[in-house]
Amino acid sequence: MWAQRTIHLAARPRGFHLVTAEVLEALPELGEVSVGLLHLLIQHTSASLALNENASPEVRHDFEAWFDRAVPEGADYWTHTLEGDDDMPAHIKAALLGPSLALPIGDGRLALGAWQGIYLCEHRDDGASRSLVATVWGEG
């Protein structure tokens, strides 16, 4: 079985946002897959995807604090500045985290750990709506 669709996520401010429920809601065919994979690709260069802690909001806050310190805005070495102080740092953060996730499917659901969730990592101050290409493949 193969299925592919685009999932549109609403605009969010800068930060690390749990979107697991939105992804699952958009993919009812996961329930038909006994073993397979879900591949997610974000179609943007200033946002990324990650898999991490899904319980404590402090974890998402700490991710944001670390990335803002590691990749600062307004640094004098940025040359791509036309789109604002947050743009080039957003591209670097997105490159560090990556644009995609490959997640196992087992018995009709994502085979994630008890404390794992899918993050939309928005690296712009005023993020736009974001699109994910979701590809499901597996056996029923």
Side-chain angles (χ1 to χ4, degrees):
M1 171 195 161
W2 286 88
Q4 187 174 74
R5 68 176 40 136
T6 301
I7 301 171
H8 299 285
L9 301 175
R12 289 172 167 84
R14 183 195 302 220
F16 288 71
H17 306 279
L18 277 172
V19 295
T20 311
E22 289 174 76
V23 170
L24 294 176
E25 184 178 320
L27 298 170
E29 53 274 275
L30 285 180
E32 303 170 27
V33 179
S34 60
V35 61
L37 286 171
L38 168 63
H39 183 267
L40 296 172
L41 172 75
I42 192 164
Q43 296 182 302
H44 305 276
T45 60
S46 58
S48 54
L49 296 173
L51 184 70
N52 217 292
E53 162 81 45
N54 68 0
S56 173
E58 293 170 340
V59 172
R60 295 185 294 279
H61 174 269
D62 289 347
F63 265 107
E64 182 64 27
W66 186 88
F67 273 94
D68 285 347
R69 194 170 292 167
V71 187
E73 291 182 17
D76 61 1
Y77 45 81
W78 300 132
T79 59
H80 175 74
T81 59
L82 188 62
E83 296 177 62
D85 282 342
D86 66 339
D87 188 48
M88 192 60 221
H91 292 306
I92 299 292
K93 293 171 187 177
L96 289 171
L97 285 166
S100 66
L101 295 173
L103 305 169
I105 303 167
D107 297 324
R109 61 179 199 232
L110 291 181
L112 301 180
W115 304 108
Q116 290 181 315
I118 300 167
Y119 286 8
L120 165 65
C121 311
E122 178 56 64
H123 305 301
R124 298 294 308 262
D125 289 333
D126 298 311
S129 61
R130 301 299 188 176
S131 299
L132 307 178
V133 175
T135 305
V136 176
W137 67 99
E139 297 179 4

